[in-house]
Amino acid sequence: MDLAGELGLPVEVPSTALFTDHYELTMVQAALRAGTAHRRSVFEVFTRRLPEGRRYGVVAGTGRVLDAVENFRFEPGVLDFLRERGVVDAPTLAWLADYRFRGDITGYPEGEVYFPGSPVLRVEGTFAECVLLETVILSILNHDSAVAAAASRMAVAAGGRPLVEMGARRTHELAAVAAARAAYVGGFTGTSDLAAGYRYGIPTTGTSAHAFTLLHDSERDAFTAQVASMGRGTTLLVDTYDVAEAVRTAVETAGPQLGAVRIDSGDLLLYAHRVRQQLDELGARDTRIIVTSDLDEYAIASLAVAPVDAYGVGTRLVTGSGHPTCSMVYKLVARSASDAPGAPLVPVAKKSLGGKLSVGGAKWAARRVDAEGVAEAEVVGTGTIPPELAGHEVAVELVRGGEIVSREPLDAPRERHRRARAALPLSATQLSAGEPVLATEYVTGT
């Protein structure tokens, strides 16, 4: 959901046509000359393996992909750039000037989980119109899905306690907005990034940093100023100097109605216990404890027994907690048998050394479940889906004839992910290294 657009606020919608690689355009030029550019083609997005130790992946960025496809236009300034650089010839520029994606896209709905070989996205149309979308689609899905997977693991580790994304200063300013969106899909409850709140309607939060305390002549003066401005329910940062003294001053300043205290350094487990005891002794039993400071899913899990009420996570989240990409690829898996209109599709696949093999043919995917409704296998196949798997298909229609048919508010993929994760075997929530929780089975239909 683009909240700013929903509210009628001004939103810049730039062309996404140059979010691509040079060779995408040169392939189109060569195919136009060869007469093969308009062959019906099927491309699929998938990953050959999950990041090491991960039990499942999370599809995120689908909504942004739809926006990118819709805005993939070669405007006059873009065409001038391509002409001046000599990227493609005049006939290709003329073709690009009229470019609109008019094909079909199906894929795993945003928030769904995926596994090695899962056909996360299928793009079907002419070769030329589909190949141009490769780079921008992979750029979005690889980034957003990596962040969402990290967010999901952190949400599991948090055990229902709120999580706030606060990594904007640790990544590119545009990536920060995308990361906040992906984190929300993965289970975070809010973000510090106002651009993400403006664009996607994600709840935003924040109070003060150490600089605010250092600005004032004393910690008491800083706390007094903040409470006067934001009310007793604010969150006071208590680790600028001495934590115990700061907690005492915070309660004296705001009273037992103090909303929360934040600890941003030191031994968080030790401080959380000490601060909780101190707050209770001072009568501030309802004052919450929020911890930040380079957290990841393992640090959050280690605080499970601590009296912590919420977490703020930055660097490790927006960098995928050690895995900043999902290694998704965009491969041609089928194309028409000839240039003749209506020619049947034939499977094609890259064959090479080094484990980069692909499986040809347009694929369906279904998730087989056991008698208890728990997923037990990711089944991927070509041809007709077996009757016993009918109704368990994972992919949905996203674009039909170039028109987007599946837009949804951001809370929908967030809730979808919660349900999808809950339907996996319990071992999916283990943070220890292991194989994907579901095996991928390939079948050939009729």
Side-chain angles (χ1 to χ4, degrees), residues 59-410:
V59 178
T62 309
R64 296 206 311 118
V65 165
L66 297 179
D67 291 341
V69 171
E70 187 174 55
N71 298 317
F72 205 94
R73 305 281 189 270
F74 289 87
E75 298 168 343
V78 171
L79 294 170
D80 289 343
F81 165 79
L82 297 175
R83 183 181 298 107
E84 292 165 3
R85 295 294 181 93
V87 176
V88 290
D89 58 20
T92 305
L93 287 171
W95 184 86
L96 293 175
D98 293 327
Y99 178 86
R100 299 291 186 275
F101 179 74
R102 297 181 175 88
D104 303 323
I105 301 177
T106 59
Y108 282 35
E110 190 161 18
E112 184 57 85
V113 295
Y114 71 89
F115 300 91
S118 295
V120 170
L121 203 72
R122 185 171 78 191
V123 182
E124 186 169 355
T126 68
F127 173 83
E129 67 180 334
C130 293
V131 77
L132 286 180
L133 299 177
E134 174 182 7
T135 302
V136 70
I137 286 176
L138 289 180
S139 176
I140 292 170
L141 291 181
N142 269 314
H143 173 269
D144 290 22
S145 296
V147 173
S152 178
R153 285 162 60 86
M154 292 174 190
V156 167
R161 296 169 176 172
L163 292 151
V164 176
E165 182 279 321
M166 46 191 298
R169 63 191 62 188
R170 298 291 188 255
T171 188
H172 186 280
E173 67 272 17
L174 299 182
V177 180
R181 183 187 183 281
Y184 191 71
V185 170
F188 273 57
T189 53
T191 179
S192 67
D193 191 273
L194 289 175
Y198 172 72
R199 187 161 189 83
Y200 297 116
I202 303 169
T204 60
T205 186
T207 50
S208 67
H210 294 103
F212 184 78
T213 302
L214 296 170
L215 168 69
H216 292 81
D217 295 334
S218 69
E219 198 165 45
R220 184 179 298 275
D221 288 347
F223 290 172
T224 299
Q226 184 173 326
V227 171
S229 172
M230 302 178 191
R232 297 177 186 275
T234 191
T235 299
L236 296 177
L237 182 59
V238 296
D239 73 323
T240 305
Y241 305 116
D242 178 84
V243 172
E245 181 61 30
V247 170
R248 185 178 305 108
T249 303
V251 176
E252 289 174 355
T253 302
Q257 298 82 25
L258 175 62
V261 296
R262 179 163 74 96
I263 310 169
D264 187 51
S265 59
D267 186 331
L268 298 180
L269 180 62
L270 176 63
Y271 278 128
H273 281 286
R274 287 181 175 176
V275 169
R276 181 73 271 158
Q277 180 179 354
Q278 186 180 9
L279 287 170
D280 291 347
E281 291 173 350
L282 293 170
R285 295 184 176 276
D286 294 328
T287 299
R288 298 175 300 126
I289 298 175
I290 300 171
V291 297
T292 51
S293 184
D294 294 328
L295 297 176
D296 61 10
E297 60 266 48
Y298 301 104
I300 293 169
S302 73
L303 293 167
V305 297
V308 171
D309 298 287
Y311 306 90
V313 190
T315 304
R316 295 290 289 177
L317 174 62
V318 299
T319 56
S321 196
H323 298 289
T325 180
C326 301
S327 299
M328 291 181 181
V329 295
Y330 184 97
K331 295 298 180 184
L332 181 66
V333 296
R335 49 94 172 162
S336 57
S338 70
D339 300 334
L345 289 172
V346 296
V348 295
K350 174 183 178 180
K351 289 181 170 57
S352 64
L353 301 176
K356 287 191 173 183
L357 298 180
S358 302
V359 178
K363 301 170 195 67
W364 48 261
R367 192 156 298 149
R368 192 171 68 237
V369 299
D370 63 18
E372 303 298 324
V374 177
E376 62 179 13
E378 187 87 337
V379 186
V380 176
T382 57
T384 303
I385 188 169
E388 65 271 17
L389 292 175
H392 295 281
E393 297 95 329
V394 186
V396 298
E397 188 178 31
L398 299 171
V399 177
R400 183 193 312 128
E403 298 296 324
I404 296 171
V405 297
S406 181
R407 287 201 186 277
E408 56 186 5
L410 195 55

